[in-house]
Amino acid sequence: MNAINRAWLQQFRRRLIAWYQRSARPLPWRETRDPYRIWVSEIMLQQTTVVAVAPYFSRFLGRFPTLADLAGGSEEEVLRLWEGLGYYSRARNLHKAAQVVMTQHGGQFPNTAAALESLPGIGRYTAGAIASFAFDRPAPIVEANTLRLYCRLLAFDGDPRSAAGQKLLWEFAARVLPRKSPGRFNQALIELGATICKPESPACPTCPVKTACAAFTQGIQHLVPRPAVRPEMTDVTETAVVVMRGQQRLLIRRAPGERWGGLWDLPRFSINSHGNPAADTRAIAEIVFDRLGVQIGTGKLLAVLRHTVTRYRITLRCYVANQVGGELADSLGVARWVTPAELDDLPLSTTGRKIARLLSAR
């Protein structure tokens, strides 16, 4: 960072802010200084695009317009409103943090990054974003868009996710941040990374700070930053069953440590049947009876769904079968019969919701 001198900083800050004033997108979470709304938006935007988040943000605040409303709501309702955004631990932590703020902070959001980091689900970036956007604190930020921007400004071709790389980027983020209006400046940094300094085909000719960018000067902007190592994908085959009792369906609530923890789902299992429907249905009947006490008849294949969760490519074979005997044995309270109307109010896994729609269409 030797080339980052006072003149460089002044020019960079002036050009960035002038561009942001002309070009900033009108996003709903930028129209407020309310820390609650800013916090909700930041949690939703983690690993999710602006386009995907916008309708969720509006619906969520329609139901939980204040921190007190969120803290007083049920986790199940929070998860239902989150359904489809993925990474459901974000929603569970959002709910927990709201309760902590109400009980331990008198309903007032902490206004420093250090205090914000003590809340469930709030890491260094989110704490800095809330502190700067809501309270105009000079808190540096490093997230996906600014990480890429900083690497190109510095022509840093090392691993930005390593300890050394993170140290360098956080130090740079603190150094470029002005004392005046740091929240607006941080917004401008994110906006530049999201709309101009994009991962693929960065719009360098239109960039307001291209003359301050070492990667552009050296012509290596397409090589920086070093891409993250992607985990090797693992193929998984699972089998699910819609157990019918008249118009009711049997659902299982996923445990907190499981995939889709806290959401409701169909009974699903890993069965080594090599896709043989007869073997699938025999194994399903045995497992459902052993685990839940419900006897089912011969199932029929409803659909085969394929989807990806983190590093898993999942093929889900879904069957439909009727209850023919037995009674639901559930001492832990994690299984229940539900009507089609009740499905609308329960948070379901992504594939669970797809299957519910297939049943309705059928």
Side-chain angles (χ1 to χ4, degrees):
M1 288 192 289
N2 293 335
I4 310 304
N5 53 34
R6 185 179 180 84
W8 186 97
L9 285 172
Q10 288 178 338
Q11 182 186 75
F12 176 77
R13 290 166 178 167
R14 183 176 65 254
R15 291 184 177 181
L16 178 64
I17 289 300
W19 169 83
Y20 182 69
Q21 289 174 336
R22 297 191 308 268
S23 307
R25 292 169 294 175
L27 304 177
W29 43 86
R30 287 182 179 161
E31 298 168 3
T32 179
R33 296 292 289 272
D34 180 358
Y36 169 66
R37 291 175 172 251
I38 290 169
W39 168 54
V40 170
S41 73
E42 287 299 330
I43 299 299
M44 285 187 170
L45 285 164
Q46 291 172 4
Q47 303 185 65
T48 311
T49 66
V50 166
V51 172
V53 163
Y56 280 90
F57 181 74
S58 177
R59 284 195 298 269
F60 195 89
L61 290 178
R63 171 59 187 87
F64 300 118
T66 69
L67 182 72
D69 292 321
L70 176 57
S74 68
E75 181 182 283
E76 193 166 89
E77 191 173 9
V78 171
L79 289 171
R80 177 65 183 94
L81 286 167
W82 203 272
E83 187 184 301
L85 269 180
Y87 301 99
Y88 292 95
S89 61
R90 296 181 297 170
R92 292 193 295 273
N93 282 328
L94 195 77
H95 190 227
K96 291 175 187 175
Q99 294 173 332
V100 169
V101 174
M102 291 301 297
T103 58
Q104 298 182 19
H105 299 274
Q108 297 297 312
F109 246 91
N111 60 14
T112 67
L116 286 161
E117 276 195 78
S118 69
L119 298 175
I122 295 186
R124 188 176 183 183
Y125 160 72
T126 305
I130 298 169
S132 64
F133 300 160
F135 303 108
D136 221 19
R137 298 278 189 175
I141 59 168
V142 178
E143 43 73 69
N145 291 306
T146 50
L147 178 147
R148 183 172 58 255
L149 173 63
Y150 299 159
C151 284
R152 286 172 174 164
L153 288 169
L154 295 169
F156 176 63
D157 60 357
D159 182 0
R161 298 160 192 87
S162 67
Q166 283 289 292
K167 182 175 183 294
L168 173 72
L169 296 180
W170 278 101
E171 287 177 350
F172 179 76
R175 188 170 178 184
V176 298
L177 196 62
R179 293 183 181 180
K180 182 180 179 181
S181 303
R184 181 182 61 168
F185 190 81
N186 276 338
Q187 290 277 22
L189 288 168
I190 294 173
E191 185 76 352
L192 186 67
T195 62
I196 299 293
C197 197
K198 295 180 287 189
E200 305 293 334
S201 304
C204 297
T206 63
C207 178
V209 295
K210 61 180 179 290
T211 57
C213 179
F216 176 73
T217 301
Q218 298 173 32
I220 60 171
Q221 63 270 34
H222 296 90
L223 305 176
V224 177
R226 183 186 298 183
V229 177
R230 294 186 179 275
E232 186 175 344
M233 298 298 291
T234 301
D235 291 310
V236 174
T237 299
E238 294 179 345
T239 305
V241 58
V242 181
V243 181
M244 305 287 293
R245 187 179 70 175
Q247 290 299 309
Q248 294 180 313
R249 288 95 155 129
L250 181 59
L251 292 186
I252 308 293
R253 191 169 191 177
R254 309 279 287 195
E258 293 183 302
R259 186 196 321 151
W260 302 309
L263 276 69
W264 291 89
D265 194 19
L266 300 169
R268 71 169 73 203
F269 324 99
S270 294
I271 297 175
N272 188 18
S273 66
H274 305 291
N276 183 314
D280 274 353
T281 54
R282 286 194 299 269
I284 288 169
E286 291 176 4
I287 295 173
V288 169
F289 181 70
D290 288 344
R291 297 185 185 179
L292 298 168
V294 175
Q295 293 177 318
I296 60 175
T298 300
K300 295 182 179 179
L301 185 64
L302 172 68
V304 178
L305 304 177
R306 293 177 176 82
H307 62 117
T308 302
V309 178
T310 60
R311 64 183 185 87
Y312 298 100
R313 280 191 299 259
I314 301 172
T315 298
L316 180 66
R317 301 174 61 81
C318 182
Y319 292 82
V320 179
N322 291 315
Q323 180 191 22
V324 296
E327 290 294 333
L328 181 61
D330 176 32
S331 60
L332 299 178
V334 296
R336 60 183 284 195
W337 295 102
V338 301
T339 65
E342 289 175 312
L343 281 174
D344 290 337
D345 296 325
L346 291 176
L348 300 182
S349 67
T350 301
T351 47
R353 185 62 66 192
K354 287 182 180 178
I355 292 166
R357 289 171 179 153
L358 285 174
L359 286 170
S360 296
R362 191 184 70 162

